Amino acid sequence: MLYREAGQFKSSYIADSQIFPLRQDRIGFALLLAVAFLAVPWLASEYWFSAILIPFLVFALAALGLNILTGYAGQLSLGSAAFMAVGAYAAYNFQLRVEGIPIVLTLVLAGGCAAAVGVLFGLPSLRIKGFYLAVATLAAQFFVVWALTKFSWFSNESSSGVISVPRFDLFGLAINTPVRKYLFVLAIVCVMALLAKNLVRSSTGRAWMAVRDMDVAAEVIGIPLMRTKLTAFAVSSFFCGVAGALYAFCYLGSVEPDGFSLDLSFRILFMIIIGGVGSILGSFLGSAFILLLPILLDNLLPPLAALLHLPFTNATVSHIQMMVFGALIIFFLVVEPHGLARLWQIAKEKLRLWPFPH
């Protein structure tokens, strides 16, 4: 009964085009932000910040970037981790070589570098699509890792390519504690998620979706395919580049090229498949699911094995995690292709009609 739109009238185009058209959604989102910014810093432990909350936000931002490209523009990519690597190493070099550069400007420039690389490897999308495009973007994954390892200048003459990020501050305030890093990452992710939400609702987003649904028809009605596809690659790579910079500066502190492997690209792809392709919310739900499921299994399987007298080792738990991931991907592809975001949407629709039958 509480989740109804009865009595909520819209008398202008601006009111009709709000991101959250229902008052209940606006209140719920405001409460969620208040909890994230005000309550969590006081209640969460250092472990939660370092091992759960910060990586959740970073991977959600990376999944959001891939969702823009794959979910909204329909261009399949397997090079997300490579664009994250470009962003991480670009941010490191900007902080190292440009004295006094603000960290926000560093993130923007790192995202710009990743966007340039994304456009370069997005050029094959003008001629090929589908599985063949995925193979073409796979070249970015191997080329970027090879370049960062081969040319030691990117890692400040480190022979192994490993970098340790310098300390940084925001307007004179040192970002050197888990709480401050969490709040910094949360603010960046909120701003970029809002930017992505408005972008996919704009003419650019509508052009992406038109190309995704049928590129020939989109070209017939006047949508320039080259500009639309390359814009999708640029924006997606920008988001992944910023996520890579946050991954290095706020999560790990020290990264190496091999850390941005193909496995990481597949994890990000699994996030949008399970969370929901073509959904901003799905990027966050998929990131939370992929990140929290291994932690849940690590804490649940050993006691269960001891209770049932099963010889479970750490390797067995790891194998079970992979089996669960595979089974869930098949489940969502068959039963609910739109992922957790669609299930959440169905639940909201049922709440709006309850207690009346659907």
Side-chain angles (χ1 to χ4, degrees):
M1 298 294 290
L2 296 176
Y3 197 69
R4 295 285 176 84
E5 65 269 32
Q8 300 183 37
F9 303 104
K10 303 176 181 65
S11 57
S12 66
Y13 177 76
I14 295 177
D16 191 53
S17 59
Q18 295 180 93
I19 295 178
F20 300 105
L22 295 183
R23 185 186 302 114
Q24 294 91 330
D25 287 337
R26 294 194 294 272
I27 294 174
F29 184 70
L31 290 175
L32 179 63
L33 288 181
V35 170
F37 278 100
L38 301 177
V40 171
W42 290 98
L43 299 177
S45 63
E46 185 174 339
Y47 169 78
W48 271 82
F49 288 122
S50 302
I52 298 177
L53 295 175
I54 293 177
F56 156 69
L57 293 171
V58 170
F59 286 126
L61 184 59
L64 185 57
L66 181 60
N67 223 338
I68 289 174
L69 181 64
T70 301
Y72 288 99
Q75 308 301 304
L76 186 59
S77 172
L78 294 177
S80 305
F83 304 134
M84 289 180 66
V86 172
Y89 277 79
Y92 168 76
N93 279 280
F94 280 121
Q95 282 286 311
L96 182 69
R97 305 179 193 281
V98 183
E99 185 177 356
I101 184 172
I103 185 62
V104 176
L105 180 59
T106 297
L107 295 178
V108 173
L109 293 176
C113 293
V117 175
V119 169
L120 178 64
F121 285 96
L123 289 174
S125 68
L126 305 179
R127 293 290 183 181
I128 58 179
K129 57 184 177 180
F131 173 76
Y132 300 99
L133 179 59
V135 174
T137 57
L138 193 61
Q141 183 64 53
F142 297 107
F143 176 79
V144 168
V145 173
W146 171 82
L148 294 176
T149 306
K150 180 70 174 178
F151 301 102
S152 59
W153 182 87
F154 293 112
S155 56
N156 196 27
E157 307 304 328
S158 172
S159 58
S160 61
V162 179
I163 60 172
S164 296
V165 298
R167 293 181 177 270
F168 64 99
D169 59 79
L170 180 66
F171 305 119
L173 178 65
I175 310 298
N176 54 4
T177 64
V179 177
R180 292 179 179 178
K181 289 180 180 179
Y182 160 75
L183 291 174
F184 176 71
V185 174
L186 178 62
I188 296 294
V189 171
C190 287
V191 171
M192 297 194 70
L194 180 62
L195 175 64
K197 184 64 176 179
N198 283 286
L199 190 59
V200 299
R201 286 151 35 98
S202 66
S203 59
T204 302
R206 291 194 293 271
W208 288 342
M209 288 181 275
V211 171
R212 174 196 64 189
D213 295 338
M214 186 175 291
D215 54 354
V216 176
E219 189 175 21
V220 168
I221 65 175
I223 295 176
L225 291 186
M226 181 180 73
R227 187 177 69 186
T228 302
K229 289 183 177 181
L230 293 184
T231 301
F233 269 96
V235 174
S236 171
S237 302
F238 180 87
F239 275 68
C240 289
V242 175
L246 295 175
Y247 183 75
F249 276 71
C250 297
Y251 177 38
L252 294 181
S254 177
V255 295
E256 58 180 346
D258 290 338
F260 299 95
S261 61
L262 182 61
D263 179 66
L264 182 58
S265 292
F266 275 115
R267 284 186 66 188
I268 299 172
L269 181 61
F270 295 159
M271 288 176 188
I272 69 170
I273 291 175
I274 293 178
V277 178
S279 169
I280 303 296
L281 175 63
S283 303
F284 290 88
L285 295 178
S287 175
F289 191 89
I290 294 296
L291 190 67
L292 294 177
L293 182 62
I295 298 175
L296 177 64
L297 293 177
D298 286 339
N299 289 277
L300 184 62
L301 289 179
L304 182 62
L307 181 64
L308 300 176
H309 303 288
L310 298 175
F312 276 11
T313 62
N314 292 333
T316 305
V317 173
S318 178
H319 293 157
I320 292 177
Q321 289 179 9
M322 298 301 295
M323 293 169 60
V324 171
F325 283 156
L328 286 172
I329 291 172
I330 295 173
F331 170 80
F332 282 110
L333 287 175
V334 174
V335 178
E336 187 48 75
H338 296 288
L340 295 173
R342 177 57 184 164
L343 296 179
W344 172 246
Q345 184 179 1
I346 293 173
K348 288 173 62 177
E349 291 173 356
K350 291 185 178 297
L351 283 174
R352 293 170 72 175
L353 292 173
W354 185 85
F356 303 104
H358 193 273

